[in-house]
Amino acid sequence: MSEYMDELETTNGVDNPEVAESEQIEQRRAKLEYWRSQGVDPYGSRFVRSHSASEILEGFEQLEGSDVSIAGRVMAFRGHGKASFLDVHDLSGRMQVYAKADHLGEDIYSQIQQIDLGDIVGVEGTVFRTRRGEVSIDVKRLTLLTKALRPLPDKWHGLKDVDLRYRQRYVDLMVNADVRRTFLTRSKIVSAMREFFTSRGFIEVETPAMHALPGGAAARPFITHHNALDMQLYLRIATELHLKRLIVGGLERVYEIGRVFRNEGISTKHNPEFTMVEVYQAYADYEDMMELTESLVVQCALAATGSTVVKYQGKDVDLTPPWPRVTMNQVVLDHTGVDFMSLTDEEARAAAARLGLEVAKDATRGVCLNEAYEELVEAHIINPTFVTDYPIEISPLAKRRTDCPQLTYRFEAVCVGRELANAFSELNDADDQRKRFEAQVAEREKGDDEAHVMDDDFVCALEYGMPPTGGMGLGVDRLIMLLTDSASIRDVILFPLMRPKDQPE
RNA sequence: GGGCCGCUAGCUCAGCUGGUAGAGCACCGGACUUUUAAUCCGGGUGUCGCGGGUUCGAGUCCCGCGCGGCUCACCA
């Protein structure tokens, strides 16, 4: 390890090995020597399992009396003198293991008494049911596969400290079954997405995560540097512009489930890196994207919960299509009584002020409308709803409406007060796109550091011709929050970003 | 960034107005041959987040800092 890396090393809240270890760790280290003295490698090798714990429980009628082998972590130990019970957990669940001195011999039995909670073992024995009715394995041979040097958290209360749960997710996963369940559900949801897109003829692609120009969203990027090229790079804030280049190239239906990075605040709904799925379909429009979004979310909900009605933080949410559609102007009118689209820019600013909104002196009607929507309306939409016809000023990549050039063919799918998905008929007029970028650059020069930069190559791609295209982006973590009833995005991200607990030096 | 709350044993938590730091689980020793939060007997294992200050004396009061949670702000 280089000196440079040494400087980066932190302990991240885990005990510093230079400090004297706790008594329990010392005791467990002594067990390491015990096992070695017994000729047992405390970090053993492969072990062939015949069954998982749940397979034995479910197949008991057929398996009773036959020999099986399982492996897992010892999570409980109940000794009764010359007989003991161990709970061994694998991913599928829990299996009770019965160790009896008469069956094993005194020497082997006393060896098993040296097993600690947290040790990983292989168990070979006979399936039976105890007097109390519990399916168990009468162990014939128990093999230590891995010695655990650290004690497990409280067997009853588990690991509750939120800080430790995120920093030491491995412990969280060991002891908290609901956490395991959430991440298994996450995996099912992502699989369901891939199946959904595949069944509709989409191909999965991978575009660069390091961009020379950040684009495709309004967000501040992370900046990094490539040494050999001596070049500033940005971690991507969206996959949009590269995916649309692929539509130009003729791939017709593409999607990417990709990590994006935004250098912004952290909250229960924001992690600096998060997963977004973006999908683009040639010859489609934003109405096709509505149908696609509804169907995608339904398929994910069925995969996660088996139902299209879910409970989120005490609220019932009905995801059954079709979802209602309402224009942004109409929904704002309904909530505030203000018909922004009938006003001039100046009247709109006055109306916004009357609603208690702070808008810039030169804010346009569209900006005021969007402000009113985001501040006063969005949070009240619980059941999934398509809010359509976004103002053009805040939609630099969306196609202009032919019937109202100040609005776009764009919608956001809103649910439990949050944006779930964002979609539009993609702007494919290269000259219009260049003007939109120029307007964004002007905003940037006025101090909006989240406005787009000019992307000449993207405009060049559009000049080659991009077919009419519908595109949609959806925050995967937020969908998973909804479908797993998770209050915080950190509960659906295995390793959320945390400050190191101890600064080096 | 603001406000509120938290940080005490491996884990979950008590610790009143300042007076030698506690419980349950885990752990250690002993008993116990179908238990399951096993039970029974004995044992407390600690940098009270870190650093200052006040005080005869600080887990407790004051100041600063660190990390976290909630919330507001920010955030397509």
Side-chain angles (χ1 to χ4, degrees):
Chain A
M1 187 182 279
S2 69
E3 284 177 38
Y4 173 67
M5 288 304 290
D6 287 341
E7 286 171 21
L8 292 178
E9 200 175 1
T10 74
T11 62
N12 200 32
V14 177
D15 301 348
N16 185 333
E18 290 174 15
V19 172
E21 285 180 326
S22 79
E23 187 183 31
Q24 292 198 44
I25 293 178
E26 282 175 21
Q27 287 160 354
R28 284 164 179 260
R29 285 194 177 281
K31 293 270 183 68
L32 270 185
E33 297 317 311
Y34 164 81
W35 289 108
R36 287 182 171 129
S37 76
Q38 296 285 304
V40 173
D41 179 359
Y43 300 104
S45 56
R46 91 190 268 277
F47 182 86
V48 177
R49 296 190 269 185
S50 70
H51 296 80
S52 69
S54 68
E55 284 169 352
I56 294 171
L57 289 178
E58 285 156 20
F60 175 75
E61 300 304 327
Q62 291 75 45
L63 289 170
E64 184 173 16
S66 57
D67 282 358
V68 295
S69 58
I70 64 162
R73 193 182 291 275
V74 177
M75 299 299 285
F77 190 101
R78 296 177 291 282
H80 293 261
K82 299 298 180 191
S84 302
F85 297 87
L86 295 77
D87 290 346
V88 175
H89 287 216
D90 64 21
L91 178 60
S92 75
R94 183 184 78 105
M95 176 54 55
Q96 178 168 272
V97 172
Y98 177 58
K100 189 174 164 92
D102 291 352
H103 296 179
L104 292 159
E106 290 290 339
D107 289 350
I108 299 296
Y109 184 76
S110 65
Q111 219 179 39
I112 290 175
Q113 301 304 302
Q114 298 304 309
I115 292 289
D116 286 326
L117 297 188
D119 288 354
I120 295 168
V121 298
V123 175
E124 295 157 88
T126 311
V127 176
F128 77 112
R129 198 191 281 277
T130 64
R131 230 177 260 165
R132 295 290 183 92
E134 177 152 355
V135 174
S136 306
I137 296 174
D138 184 5
V139 64
K140 290 178 173 168
R141 185 155 68 164
L142 188 140
T143 310
L144 176 66
L145 297 174
T146 300
K147 180 84 201 111
L149 296 178
R150 291 176 183 267
L152 293 172
D154 188 288
K155 70 179 174 186
W156 191 243
H157 299 96
L159 185 66
K160 286 196 170 163
D161 186 311
V162 181
D163 188 20
L164 280 180
R165 284 186 43 228
Y166 296 150
R167 288 180 197 278
Q168 295 186 276
R169 184 70 92 180
Y170 39 91
V171 181
D172 193 26
L173 287 165
M174 262 177 237
V175 299
N176 292 326
D178 54 332
V179 174
R180 281 198 299 278
R181 199 175 314 119
T182 294
F183 287 105
L184 293 175
T185 301
R186 178 174 181 128
S187 172
K188 283 185 195 160
I189 291 169
V190 175
S191 293
M193 274 185 192
R194 289 202 161 93
E195 284 163 21
F196 174 86
F197 289 125
T198 300
S199 73
R200 290 191 173 210
F202 288 87
I203 59 169
E204 182 170 14
V205 297
E206 293 172 277
T207 63
M210 294 193 289
H211 289 183
L213 291 172
R220 293 203 304 244
F222 286 92
I223 301 174
T224 186
H225 184 260
H226 188 277
N227 288 343
L229 296 178
D230 187 22
M231 173 187 178
Q232 178 164 292
L233 288 168
Y234 303 89
L235 300 187
R236 67 183 173 194
I237 57 176
T239 49
E240 175 153 1
L241 299 183
H242 283 92
L243 292 175
K244 283 197 273 198
R245 284 174 169 95
L246 298 179
I247 298 294
V248 170
L251 295 189
E252 293 193 357
R253 295 187 181 203
V254 296
Y255 75 100
E256 179 165 11
I257 297 174
R259 199 73 57 83
V260 297
F261 308 85
R262 297 187 182 178
N263 204 341
E264 287 160 0
I266 296 178
S267 77
T268 50
K269 299 173 196 66
H270 302 82
N271 194 62
E273 56 177 309
F274 61 101
T275 302
M276 172 147 280
V277 57
E278 289 196 40
V279 52
Y280 293 85
Q281 179 176 346
Y283 310 111
D285 67 7
Y286 81 136
E287 296 204 46
D288 295 310
M289 291 298 108
M290 291 189 208
E291 185 281 326
L292 181 141
T293 303
E294 288 169 343
S295 301
L296 173 65
V297 169
V298 162
Q299 183 146 335
C300 291
L302 291 173
T305 71
S307 170
T308 57
V309 181
V310 300
K311 203 174 232 355
Y312 185 73
Q313 305 292 298
K315 296 187 190 84
D316 284 315
V317 181
D318 188 350
L319 302 170
T320 312
W323 299 349
R325 305 175 181 193
V326 60
T327 67
M328 180 185 281
N329 193 61
Q330 184 64 46
V331 75
V332 169
L333 174 58
D334 293 344
H335 275 78
T336 68
V338 178
D339 182 2
F340 276 94
M341 289 310 288
S342 72
L343 305 178
T344 64
D345 287 351
E346 191 176 347
E347 290 166 344
R349 288 193 290 271
R354 281 198 300 277
L355 292 171
L357 303 171
E358 286 179 30
V359 293
K361 280 201 186 69
D362 60 350
T364 60
R365 175 178 71 179
V367 168
C368 294
L369 169 63
N370 182 61
E371 189 71 13
Y373 167 70
E374 288 191 348
E375 289 298 318
L376 304 172
V377 180
E378 188 177 42
H380 298 108
I381 300 174
I382 302 305
N383 275 316
T385 303
F386 292 117
V387 176
T388 68
D389 296 11
Y390 274 59
I392 197 161
E393 303 93 310
I394 58 162
S395 310
L397 302 168
K399 191 188 277 285
R400 191 186 293 274
R401 284 194 77 91
T402 52
D403 56 355
C404 179
Q406 295 309 304
L407 298 176
T408 58
Y409 294 109
R410 173 181 172 185
F411 71 81
E412 285 191 2
V414 182
C415 185
V416 295
R418 303 171 196 163
E419 170 195 345
L420 190 62
N422 178 25
F424 26 91
S425 298
E426 302 297 334
L427 175 58
N428 62 343
D429 176 333
D431 292 339
D432 193 1
Q433 183 67 76
R434 182 175 294 283
K435 288 191 190 113
R436 304 274 196 100
F437 277 144
E438 283 165 355
Q440 288 287 305
V441 170
E443 288 298 311
R444 175 167 281 270
E445 283 166 358
K446 282 195 295 186
D448 180 358
D449 54 7
E450 293 182 355
H452 277 71
V453 297
M454 175 61 67
D455 188 334
D456 287 310
D457 181 71
F458 179 68
V459 174
C460 175
L462 294 186
E463 286 170 348
Y464 277 93
M466 181 174 80
T469 296
M472 188 275 285
L474 179 146
V476 173
D477 310 280
R478 293 210 184 154
L479 176 63
I480 291 165
M481 287 171 68
L482 174 67
L483 298 180
T484 58
D485 196 14
S486 298
S488 169
I489 197 168
R490 290 180 171 135
D491 293 326
V492 301
I493 292 176
L494 282 166
F495 298 100
L497 185 67
M498 303 287 280
R499 268 198 157 94
K501 193 111 183 171
D502 304 313
Q503 296 296 336
E505 301 308 303

PDB file of all heavy atoms in Angstrom, chain A residues 42 201 331 399 454 466:
ATOM      1  N   PRO A  42      -9.729 -23.212  11.704  1.00  0.00           N
ATOM      2  CA  PRO A  42     -10.880 -22.364  12.036  1.00  0.00           C
ATOM      3  C   PRO A  42     -11.370 -21.510  10.860  1.00  0.00           C
ATOM      4  O   PRO A  42     -12.342 -20.776  11.016  1.00  0.00           O
ATOM      5  CB  PRO A  42     -10.359 -21.491  13.176  1.00  0.00           C
ATOM      6  CG  PRO A  42      -8.890 -21.487  13.023  1.00  0.00           C
ATOM      7  CD  PRO A  42      -8.496 -22.779  12.376  1.00  0.00           C
ATOM      8  N   GLY A 201     -38.953  -5.772 -25.960  1.00  0.00           N
ATOM      9  CA  GLY A 201     -38.010  -5.576 -27.046  1.00  0.00           C
ATOM     10  C   GLY A 201     -36.954  -4.514 -26.793  1.00  0.00           C
ATOM     11  O   GLY A 201     -36.309  -4.046 -27.734  1.00  0.00           O
ATOM     12  N   VAL A 331     -53.971  21.395 -12.261  1.00  0.00           N
ATOM     13  CA  VAL A 331     -53.860  20.934 -10.875  1.00  0.00           C
ATOM     14  C   VAL A 331     -53.478  22.094  -9.958  1.00  0.00           C
ATOM     15  O   VAL A 331     -53.915  22.167  -8.804  1.00  0.00           O
ATOM     16  CB  VAL A 331     -52.912  19.719 -10.762  1.00  0.00           C
ATOM     17  CG1 VAL A 331     -51.448  20.124 -10.873  1.00  0.00           C
ATOM     18  CG2 VAL A 331     -53.162  18.943  -9.479  1.00  0.00           C
ATOM     19  N   LYS A 399     -39.880  17.979 -26.123  1.00  0.00           N
ATOM     20  CA  LYS A 399     -40.457  18.537 -27.346  1.00  0.00           C
ATOM     21  C   LYS A 399     -41.546  19.560 -27.008  1.00  0.00           C
ATOM     22  O   LYS A 399     -42.369  19.344 -26.110  1.00  0.00           O
ATOM     23  CB  LYS A 399     -41.052  17.392 -28.187  1.00  0.00           C
ATOM     24  CG  LYS A 399     -41.456  17.798 -29.589  1.00  0.00           C
ATOM     25  CD  LYS A 399     -42.205  16.668 -30.294  1.00  0.00           C
ATOM     26  CE  LYS A 399     -41.304  15.631 -30.933  1.00  0.00           C
ATOM     27  NZ  LYS A 399     -40.663  16.108 -32.176  1.00  0.00           N
ATOM     28  N   MET A 454     -23.638  23.719 -22.684  1.00  0.00           N
ATOM     29  CA  MET A 454     -23.787  23.414 -24.105  1.00  0.00           C
ATOM     30  C   MET A 454     -23.113  22.082 -24.399  1.00  0.00           C
ATOM     31  O   MET A 454     -21.995  21.838 -23.991  1.00  0.00           O
ATOM     32  CB  MET A 454     -23.132  24.531 -24.946  1.00  0.00           C
ATOM     33  CG  MET A 454     -23.117  24.281 -26.432  1.00  0.00           C
ATOM     34  SD  MET A 454     -24.778  24.125 -27.144  1.00  0.00           S
ATOM     35  CE  MET A 454     -25.398  25.806 -26.918  1.00  0.00           C
ATOM     36  N   MET A 466     -32.726  12.181 -35.141  1.00  0.00           N
ATOM     37  CA  MET A 466     -33.209  11.222 -34.156  1.00  0.00           C
ATOM     38  C   MET A 466     -34.689  11.025 -34.417  1.00  0.00           C
ATOM     39  O   MET A 466     -35.443  11.992 -34.514  1.00  0.00           O
ATOM     40  CB  MET A 466     -33.008  11.739 -32.723  1.00  0.00           C
ATOM     41  CG  MET A 466     -33.488  10.739 -31.658  1.00  0.00           C
ATOM     42  SD  MET A 466     -33.110  11.239 -29.966  1.00  0.00           S
ATOM     43  CE  MET A 466     -34.434  12.415 -29.647  1.00  0.00           C
TER      44      MET A 466
END
